[in-house]
Amino acid sequence: RNLSYRYARGSDRLDAQMFASAFWDDGSFNQQSGIPMSAFAEQLVGIMGKFFALTHHLNGNSLIDFIDEDRATSETYFRAFHLTNAGLSAEEAAFMIGERRLAELSHENGAVYDIIVGGRYLDEVERRDGAWKIKSRRLIFDYCDVRKSECLRAGEGMTAQSAGTMARDRSDPSYST
């Protein structure tokens, strides 16, 4: 479970090092192989920063089956919230949410969208030199809901009562605990 938590935190904080720490460098993500996971993490975090103002990943049920003392498989349910950046072009928005849904939402420049995804991570994990990491991860989408955002931003309404402000880097309060 810790591997999925590190993956989520790395994704949400745009922390490629944290993201990559969940994987063996010779691992794969959605059958993406041939590139070290550390380099893949940098690319993915860059894309997430470009398209999303924030993400929020929640992990749910995990079923872990040990194959032997150094290998296991797991299935972990997740729900992930994505808030798109306001500056996306129509082409970038279509890339994220699809042409059909973009037309249904009557896209306007500057529009912000909530993308809520539910699915599962199917992992093969290995222990090497006493450390467990993901060898391969398949991302399965079970559903995806997209709508124009009506989300409060940090400091608005009830969020003004927060004891800290979310940051998408190592200045986030979670790094000081």
Side-chain angles (χ1 to χ4, degrees), residues 3-4 23 72-76 121-125 134 136-138:
L3 299 172
S4 286
F23 294 87
T73 61
S74 69
E75 176 184 45
T76 302
Y121 303 122
L122 304 179
D123 295 337
E124 295 177 16
V125 297
I134 299 168
S136 74
R137 168 164 279 184
R138 289 180 51 211

Side-chain angles (χ1 to χ4, degrees), residues 152-164:
L152 292 174
R153 303 305 189 267
E156 297 178 328
M158 70 180 209
T159 68
Q161 307 305 312
S162 177

Side-chain angles (χ1 to χ4, degrees), residues 7-171:
Y7 165 87
R9 185 178 185 184
S11 297
D12 294 340
R13 302 286 70 83
L14 298 179
D15 185 339
Q17 184 179 357
M18 174 71 71
F19 180 101
S21 75
F23 294 87
W24 291 112
D25 211 34
D26 64 347
S28 65
F29 183 92
N30 267 8
Q31 291 76 40
Q32 172 81 25
S33 60
I35 177 174
M37 285 304 297
S38 54
F40 176 77
E42 289 285 345
Q43 290 176 0
L44 189 62
V45 163
I47 290 168
M48 291 177 68
K50 176 181 179 179
F51 287 101
F52 301 117
L54 72 86
T55 60
H56 187 96
H57 289 75
L58 297 171
N59 293 307
N61 303 346
S62 287
L63 178 62
I64 302 168
D65 292 313
F66 287 89
I67 297 167
D68 57 38
E69 64 183 27
D70 293 319
R71 294 181 304 138
T73 61
S74 69
E75 176 184 45
T76 302
Y77 283 74
F78 73 89
R79 188 164 194 206
F81 173 82
H82 304 75
L83 179 68
T84 65
N85 283 318
L88 296 183
S89 68
E91 293 79 23
E92 290 169 329
F95 174 75
M96 295 310 304
I97 65 178
E99 294 283 344
R100 178 191 62 82
R101 188 67 179 123
L102 190 65
E104 291 172 351
L105 292 168
S106 302
H107 177 73
E108 300 165 4
N109 285 338
V112 176
Y113 300 96
D114 297 331
I115 303 173
I116 303 165
V117 179
R120 294 164 287 135
Y121 303 122
L122 304 179
D123 295 337
E124 295 177 16
V125 297
E126 291 181 355
R127 178 169 51 182
R128 299 179 190 170
D129 298 323
W132 287 95
K133 292 188 181 186
I134 299 168
K135 176 65 175 168
S136 74
R137 168 164 279 184
R138 289 180 51 211
L139 177 61
I140 308 295
F141 290 125
D142 291 332
Y143 65 89
C144 184
D145 182 29
V146 179
R147 61 187 135 211
K148 284 191 177 175
S149 182
E150 296 177 5
C151 184
L152 292 174
R153 303 305 189 267
E156 297 178 328
M158 70 180 209
T159 68
Q161 307 305 312
S162 177
T165 301
M166 179 278 302
R168 296 189 79 201
D169 57 29
R170 288 183 173 263
S171 70

